[in-house]
Amino acid sequence: MGDTIVLDPYDVWQLTKGLGRPFGELLGSCADLHVEEGVIMPHLKMREETESCAFLGTDGRCTVHAYRPGICRLFPLGRQFDDKKTSYFIVPNGCVKGGLSKVRIDRWIGIEDLPRYEEYKAEWRSLLRTLQARIAAESSVEVQRNVNLYFLRTFYMTPYEGDAAAFYGELAARTRDFAAAAL
Ligand code: SF4
């Protein structure tokens, strides 16, 4: 899976709360960084010897199931966004398990208040697109680097406290500050 399980702030909030470890501690052992269209993004780290996720248990089960990242929650669904709506589809040949049955999407994903989460995902995607455009338009490598470090510190390295309402409120405040200072 390489660097495909990209982590967003909601994932980091859930993982750090569930594991009781700050994100800085997870970097290197369970998470890593890569560059996506000029922006440094964290992703789940794969074990070199098996190329499997660092959170995959020896019994083949996820050891962080209750607080697994959003991409893992989605599988084998895909998701697409337009301006006002999020829709889901089944990825062809995504799941090889037999005997599948119908399940409601919100129950499958298992995130409280899915409409609010979808709103957050759309806002986050919009921020990333703006940041990528900002980095692409910036000729100074040093400024690009500083903006990226500020992005990492603001949205990933600084811990999130409290419940979902506190998380969304805190993220909105950080987004405002980040946009004012760096975009
Ligand atoms: S479901 Fe769990 S083990 Fe599988 S990729 Fe996601 S975090 Fe890793």
Side-chain angles (χ1 to χ4, degrees):
M1 293 184 291
D3 59 9
T4 55
I5 304 187
V6 177
L7 301 173
D8 65 22
Y10 190 99
D11 297 329
V12 167
W13 167 54
Q14 287 287 294
L15 273 173
T16 53
K17 187 166 74 157
L19 293 168
R21 296 168 65 191
F23 187 64
E25 257 184 39
L26 302 183
L27 272 179
S29 56
C30 317
D32 218 336
L33 301 173
H34 69 284
V35 176
E36 212 169 285
E37 296 191 44
V39 177
I40 296 179
M41 299 294 300
H43 63 265
L44 282 192
K45 189 171 171 147
M46 299 296 132
R47 293 189 184 107
E48 277 177 25
E49 61 283 13
T50 57
E51 292 185 12
S52 61
C53 173
F55 290 124
L56 188 67
T58 50
D59 60 356
R61 290 177 174 269
C62 176
T63 58
V64 294
H65 183 76
Y67 33 92
R68 65 199 183 286
I71 292 175
C72 307
R73 289 175 179 275
L74 205 55
F75 181 83
L77 297 177
R79 177 171 47 206
Q80 60 190 31
F81 304 91
D82 65 26
D83 284 346
K84 297 196 172 63
K85 194 165 165 269
T86 303
S87 51
Y88 298 88
F89 57 91
I90 296 175
V91 175
N93 305 318
C95 182
V96 295
K97 201 163 179 268
L100 303 181
S101 57
K102 287 186 179 178
V103 61
R104 274 177 39 178
I105 287 172
D106 58 347
R107 291 204 183 131
W108 179 257
I109 294 174
I111 286 180
E112 194 186 336
D113 193 355
L114 188 59
R116 178 67 188 93
Y117 177 76
E118 289 171 346
E119 196 182 314
Y120 145 74
K121 289 293 288 183
E123 289 162 1
W124 180 246
R125 281 169 55 84
S126 170
L127 176 75
L128 287 183
R129 278 199 299 266
T130 308
L131 177 58
Q132 285 162 353
R134 161 80 178 90
I135 297 276
E138 176 57 59
S139 56
S140 162
V141 173
E142 191 185 349
V143 173
Q144 289 178 345
R145 179 179 163 276
N146 288 341
V147 171
N148 264 314
L149 290 178
Y150 182 41
F151 171 74
L152 265 187
R153 200 169 57 242
T154 302
F155 295 108
Y156 291 94
M157 304 301 287
T158 308
Y160 297 94
E161 309 287 348
D163 60 7
F167 166 78
Y168 289 129
E170 175 66 23
L171 189 73
R174 292 187 196 187
T175 301
R176 274 194 303 273
D177 292 348
F178 181 78
L183 296 181

